[in-house]
Amino acid sequence: MIELSITGDVAEVVLNAPEKLNALSLRALGEMDAAYRSAEEAGVRALVLRSEGRAFCAGRDIAGVDPVTDDVPQYLAGVETLMRRIAAFPAPTFAAVHGACLGVGLGLAIATDVVYVADDAKIGSPFASLGAMLDSGGHALLYERLGAHRALDLIYTGELMTGAEAVAAGLFSRAMPVEEVFDFTLQRATVAATGPTAAFVASKRLIARLRGERLWDAVAEEARSQEALRTTADYREGFAAFQQKRKPDFTGE
């Protein structure tokens, strides 16, 4: 489901499982990590992340996952490994986001240098209906850009932001009509690939140092908390309701 193509100095990593809204299994995380590694070894000077179908990435693929036996730490360790690979990529990276950008999908965007979004993209976390908590660095992004009150408002309600709202709030770079977002992103990456790559990477590393370890601390804490939540009745109910396509009946336990 993960495809890599290289044209000149620009790589494209494409999520291509539209029937699943590009939701990511543990295996798909590994395939993505390998794609970024291959692009790095090829020495490309810019990279574009995009998806096929109606969504960028709807989060984790939980089809068939049993919350009682689910290895949450293993999956979220895979997410962190991939996010770190993306964040450390030694060239400018760009993401073209359309449709749903949820959970792990949001994490992919967080780890990418520059994110362009469709005006009507849906960005955030569906975890309010799963009995789980926002992960993949979402707490760090929402708190850093929106402050505590708005971050918790979105987390408690499960409300999703449109791409236009996310850009207005400072989460991502630019919003535009969905039919323009991929071509615009590829054009920007192509221009970046002709620039002073070493200087760009130096700026990228400086921004990472200025940001500090807040993102990775949040990712680690999210993983610990998610594993603890796995034992709750609401977590099991949320998973079952999602898989059965019904409204969950949470008890607070």
Side-chain angles (χ1 to χ4, degrees):
M1 71 170 284
I2 307 301
E3 300 174 353
L4 170 66
S5 64
I6 298 175
T7 303
D9 288 323
V10 179
E12 291 181 46
V13 175
V14 182
L15 280 64
N16 192 7
E19 72 284 358
K20 295 184 176 183
L21 299 181
N22 297 306
L24 295 170
S25 64
L26 182 61
R27 177 178 178 178
L29 293 177
E31 290 177 0
M32 259 191 102
D33 186 80
Y36 274 80
R37 187 167 60 250
S38 294
E40 179 176 345
E41 291 169 353
V44 300
R45 297 173 63 192
L47 181 146
V48 170
L49 173 63
R50 66 175 181 89
S51 301
E52 295 288 349
R54 297 185 292 114
F56 175 69
C57 175
R60 182 184 180 186
D61 182 3
I62 64 169
V65 173
D66 182 348
V68 175
T69 59
D70 183 23
D71 193 340
V72 173
Q74 181 186 22
Y75 184 82
L76 292 180
V79 172
E80 180 175 357
T81 296
L82 176 58
M83 289 181 64
R84 286 184 178 272
R85 173 81 64 188
I86 295 171
F89 192 80
T93 59
F94 300 79
V97 170
H98 72 288
C101 177
L102 310 175
V104 180
L106 181 58
L108 301 181
I110 291 170
T112 301
D113 297 340
V114 180
V115 180
Y116 301 124
V117 299
D119 292 322
D120 60 354
K122 299 297 183 184
I123 295 163
S125 165
F127 293 139
S129 61
L130 279 176
M133 68 180 291
L134 176 63
D135 58 29
S136 306
H139 287 86
L141 176 73
L142 296 183
Y143 175 76
E144 179 182 83
R145 308 293 171 83
L146 305 179
H149 294 287
R150 182 61 175 146
L152 289 172
D153 179 23
L154 292 171
I155 290 167
Y156 291 166
T157 63
E159 176 186 348
L160 302 179
M161 304 180 79
T162 66
E165 290 170 339
V167 170
L171 267 66
F172 301 124
S173 183
R174 299 191 189 195
M176 62 201 69
V178 65
E179 62 270 16
E180 298 176 12
V181 67
F182 172 65
D183 286 344
F184 183 88
T185 305
L186 183 58
Q187 185 268 335
R188 287 285 171 145
T190 301
V191 170
T194 67
T197 306
F200 290 158
V201 172
S203 290
K204 178 173 178 167
R205 289 172 177 161
L206 176 56
I207 292 293
R209 286 200 298 273
L210 291 171
R211 192 175 195 182
E213 288 295 308
R214 175 181 290 176
L215 172 61
W216 307 118
D217 289 345
V219 169
E221 180 61 27
E222 287 164 348
R224 288 190 291 270
S225 297
Q226 205 76 283
E227 171 62 7
L229 288 169
R230 187 179 63 83
T231 64
T232 66
D234 280 347
Y235 188 96
R236 294 190 295 274
E237 167 61 12
F239 262 66
F242 181 87
Q243 292 167 339
Q244 297 165 16
K245 302 185 186 324
R246 61 174 174 81
K247 183 177 180 180
D249 181 18
F250 292 131
T251 63
E253 298 178 356

